[in-house]
DNA sequence: CTCATGTCAGATCAACTGAAATGG
DNA sequence: CCCATTTCAGTTTATCTGACATGA
C-alpha cells in the first residue's frame, strides 16, 4: 500500500520550488543581487516608505533578516533608513532613485526567470496554476 | 511598471512550498521522524535494496546527506547496510520489517498533511494541479 | 588512468530564536 | 507595566562542495 514517492502534492511543490529557486538565485547572483534584496525593493516601491517591521510583514522576511538585507541595500544606496519622526522606535525605509533603477533591472531578470520556469505550461494553464498556487500558499 | 510582489509564479510556489514544508516537518517531528528519513524509507520500499548513491539519485538527496540520514535509520533498525558482494565500493541498503512498519506510520502522517495542504482546492482542481506541478518540477 | 562510491568536514542560505536596548 | 521595534548573536535545516580513501 505504499504510494510512490513522487505523487505527493508537497513533494511535487517542493520539486517545483527547488527548480524555481535555483533559476532565481542563479539569475539574481549573475545580476549581482539576491532574492531578499529584490523582495525588499519591490515592497518599498509598491508601498512607499514603511518601517522595517512592516517590511518584514509585507515580504515574509524575518525582522532580523530584514535588518541584514537592508544593510546591503543601504550600502549600495538603493534604500535609505531614516528615523520615523512620529515614532522613535521605527526607521522609515524608502527606496532611492538608484533603487528604482536597480529594481527595474531586477524585474527584467525576474521576468526572464518566470518565462523559463513556466515554460512547461501553456498560457491558459499558467493562469489556472497561478490561481491555485495562490490559494495553496495563503 | 512594477508588478506587485505577489503575482509571480516563483513567489507563489515559494509560499505554497513554505506552507507545505511547515505542515510536513511539524507533522514528522511530532511523529518522531524527519522528511529525509521518510524519503529514504519510501525509496527503499519502492525499489528494494540499492546502493547509497542510487538512493541519492532516487530521492534527490545528496550522497553525503544520505550517509548521515542512513546512520539514523540504521540506529533505529529501520534499514540495514550490507556490503555489496558484487561491488566492493557499494553498500546495499535494505529496509527492515521495522522500517516497513515505520513507513506505514509515516504514510498516514503524510496523507493527513496532503489533505490539509490541498484543502483549498476541489478534487478536480487537485488532479490538474498535481499534473502541472509535476511538469514544473521536472 | 579514469571514474564511482562512501565518508567526512565544512560552507552556504533561508528561516528562525532569544535577548538586549529603546521607546510608545 | 506591557508591548512594538531594531539589532545582534546564534541555531537549525536543507542543500551543496571539496577532499579523501577505496575499489571497478
Amino acid at each position: 500500500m505504499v504510494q510512490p514517492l513522487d505523487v505527493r502534492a508537497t513533494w511535487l511543490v517542493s520539486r517545483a520550488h527547488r527548480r524555481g529557486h535555483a533559476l532565481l538565485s542563479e539569475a539574481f547572483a549573475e545580476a549581482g543581487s539576491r532574492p531578499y534584496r529584490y523582495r525588499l525593493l519591490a515592497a518599498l516601491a509598491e508601498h512607499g516608505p514603511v518601517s522595517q517591521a512592516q517590511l518584514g510583514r509585507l515580504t515574509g522576511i524575518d525582522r532580523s533578516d530584514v535588518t541584514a538585507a537592508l544593510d546591503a541595500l543601504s550600502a549600495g544606496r538603493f534604500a535609505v533608513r531614516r528615523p520615523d519622526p512620529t515614532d522613535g522606535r521605527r526607521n522609515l525605509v524608502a527606496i532611492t532613485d538608484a533603487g528604482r533603477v536597480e529594481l527595474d533591472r531586477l524585474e527584467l531578470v525576474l521576468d526572464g526567470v518566470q518565462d523559463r520556469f513556466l515554460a512547461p505550461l501553456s498560457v491558459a494553464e499558467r493562469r489556472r496554476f497561478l490561481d491555485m498556487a495562490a490559494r495553496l500558499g495563503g
Side-chain angles (χ1 to χ4, degrees), chain A residues 13 131-138:
Chain A
V13 168
D131 171 62
M132 292 192 276
R135 277 186 278 152
L136 288 181

Side-chain angles (χ1 to χ4, degrees), chain A residues 21-101:
Chain A
H21 185 258
L23 290 172
L24 204 65
S25 17
E26 188 189 7
F28 276 152
E30 209 168 303
S33 192
R34 299 200 178 190
Y36 269 19
R37 297 186 205 160
Y38 164 77
R39 277 203 246 167
L40 290 175
L41 283 179
L44 287 173
E46 191 182 350
H47 294 95
V50 289
S51 73
Q52 296 185 195
Q54 187 61 14
L55 259 184
R57 284 178 220 114
L58 290 168
T59 58
I61 300 175
D62 190 87
R63 275 202 272 272
S64 58
D65 301 316
V66 169
T67 296
L70 274 184
D71 288 345
L73 289 177
S74 298
R77 307 293 175 194
F78 298 140
V80 287
R81 278 190 262 226
R82 294 185 310 159
D84 185 335
T86 78
D87 188 334
R89 298 168 301 179
R90 293 184 177 142
N91 288 331
L92 274 184
V93 187
I95 191 169
T96 65
D97 288 347
R100 286 179 206 281
V101 172

